[in-house]
């Protein structure tokens, strides 16, 4: 075998070896790219599934807070009615006695029985927080508002309960003594209440407490509901 032939053989071997390594590199690269594509596709599918689940939760919560907005409006009306009736009675304390005969005080007093109690719909949000899945909501601001909702609601409920308990302990005994039903044989003597300083103080408390509830408590919840609904609107996809 000549030197030239030997060189050709060695060159061919080297060339074949280079091609082999190049093919191995390509095969390895294809495998790696395939793994990365599959991994990315799997992540995309999981992310898409989570996003769909988040959208479903957001729409349910949106429905709840739309209901809560309307329910709160009704309670604001109730609280304002108590405040207005208390205002009317306090004015009667200063009115001339001759004019009291023309006023149906019994009817005004019965208006105090309609206490306002805000009872929102919180089923979906309660389940979400209770299960520890609030993190499915990606918007940090929305998640923060939702997480503090129950604390704010609890503060309002405590004030509502205090007013109801005050009425049960202080106002109702006066109603049992002075308020006469329409089919009773007794005549109404509710005008005597307008000569009782303790009753006047009770009415003043009702007036200030009901004003605080609808002006501050319900006002705060109303602003919070508006903020939550705005954030939900921005997050929910059409």
């Amino acid at each position: 075998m000549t030197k030239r032939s030997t060189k050709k053989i060695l060159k061919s071997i080297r060339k074949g070896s280079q091609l082999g390594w190049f093919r191995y590199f390509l095969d390895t690269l294809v495998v790696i790219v395939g793994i990365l594509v599959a991994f990315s596709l799997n992540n995309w599918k999981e992310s898409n599934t989570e996003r769909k689940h988040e959208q479903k939760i957001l729409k349910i919560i949106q429905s709840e807070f739309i209901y809560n907005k309307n329910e709160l409006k009704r309670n604001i009306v109730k609280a304002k009615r108590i405040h207005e009736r208390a205002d009317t009675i306090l004015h009667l304390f200063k009115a001339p006695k001759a004019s009291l005969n023309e006023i149906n005080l019994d009817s005004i007093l019965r208006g105090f029985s309609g206490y306002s109690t805000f009872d929102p719909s919180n089923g979906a949000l309660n389940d979400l927080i209770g299960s520890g899945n609030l993190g499915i909501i990606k918007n940090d601001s929305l998640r923060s508002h939702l997480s503090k909702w129950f604390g704010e609601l609890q503060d309002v409920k405590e004030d509502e309960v205090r007013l109801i308990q005050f009425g049960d302990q202080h106002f109702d005994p006066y109603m049992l003594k002075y308020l006469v039903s329409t089919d009773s044989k007794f005549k109404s003597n509710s005008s005597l209440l307008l000569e009782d300083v303790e009753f006047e103080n009770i009415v003043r408390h009702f007036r200030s407490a009901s004003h605080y509830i609808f002006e501050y408590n319900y006002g705060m919840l109303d602003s919070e509901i508006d903020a939550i609904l705005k954030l939900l609107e921005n997050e929910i996809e059409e």
Side-chain angles (χ1 to χ4, degrees), residues 3-16:
K3 289 183 178 181
R4 183 176 293 179
S5 297
T6 302
K7 287 181 179 181
K8 286 182 178 181
I9 292 172
L10 292 174
K11 187 176 182 181
S12 177
I13 292 173
R14 285 196 296 269
K15 186 175 181 181

Side-chain angles (χ1 to χ4, degrees), residues 36 96 185 214:
L36 291 175
K185 69 174 184 178
F214 79 75

Side-chain angles (χ1 to χ4, degrees), residues 29-232:
L29 183 61
V30 169
V31 171
I32 293 174
V33 170
I35 292 173
L36 291 175
V37 169
F39 183 73
S40 298
L41 184 61
N42 186 59
N43 283 346
W44 178 83
K45 287 181 179 179
E46 289 182 0
S47 177
N48 192 45
T49 300
E50 288 181 359
R51 183 61 179 169
K52 286 181 179 179
H53 183 52
E54 180 193 15
Q55 286 293 304
K56 182 179 178 181
I57 294 296
L58 291 176
K59 289 176 182 178
I60 295 174
I61 292 177
Q62 183 187 47
S63 178
E64 286 188 342
F65 274 90
I66 289 174
Y67 170 85
N68 293 344
K69 176 75 174 179
N70 293 327
E71 182 67 14
L72 186 61
K73 286 181 180 178
R74 287 192 288 270
N75 280 272
I76 289 173
V77 170
K78 287 182 180 180
K80 284 184 175 180
R81 186 181 297 126
I82 292 177
H83 178 267
E84 290 167 359
R85 288 180 182 267
D87 229 6
T88 299
I89 293 174
L90 289 175
H91 283 301
L92 293 179
F93 275 96
K94 302 175 183 178
K97 288 186 178 181
S99 65
L100 296 178
N101 294 329
E102 302 174 3
I103 298 171
N104 189 346
L105 183 57
D106 287 14
S107 176
I108 297 173
L109 291 171
R110 288 190 179 93
F112 278 96
S113 61
Y115 299 110
S116 61
T117 54
F118 177 51
D119 299 306
S121 173
N122 291 319
L125 180 58
N126 191 46
D127 289 343
L128 191 65
I129 294 177
S131 62
N133 291 324
L134 187 61
I136 194 173
I137 296 177
K138 304 306 180 186
N139 186 298
D140 293 339
S141 182
L142 176 57
R143 193 167 61 249
S144 175
H145 277 281
L146 292 176
S147 64
K148 67 181 183 180
W149 167 253
F150 286 106
E152 294 173 336
L153 183 60
Q154 181 61 30
D155 290 341
V156 174
K157 299 301 291 182
E158 289 173 359
D159 286 337
E160 288 178 341
V161 169
R162 275 194 289 269
L163 181 58
I164 293 172
Q165 290 175 342
F166 180 85
D168 291 343
Q169 295 171 10
H170 301 285
F171 189 79
D172 287 358
Y174 275 94
M175 296 303 95
L176 291 173
K177 185 175 180 180
Y178 291 99
L179 197 61
V180 177
S181 63
T182 55
D183 59 347
S184 174
K185 69 174 184 178
F186 298 101
K187 292 183 178 181
S188 175
N189 60 351
S190 57
S191 60
L192 294 176
L193 290 171
L194 301 178
E195 300 176 8
D196 191 314
V197 66
E198 184 177 353
F199 181 72
E200 181 183 21
N201 289 331
I202 290 172
V203 174
R204 288 188 186 280
H205 178 83
F206 260 102
R207 183 180 183 277
S208 62
S210 59
H211 181 267
Y212 183 83
I213 285 176
F214 79 75
E215 186 70 25
Y216 177 75
N217 285 1
Y218 289 167
M220 178 268 295
L221 288 183
D222 194 41
S223 297
E224 189 65 21
I225 290 174
D226 285 343
I228 289 172
L229 286 174
K230 182 64 177 177
L231 289 166
L232 285 167

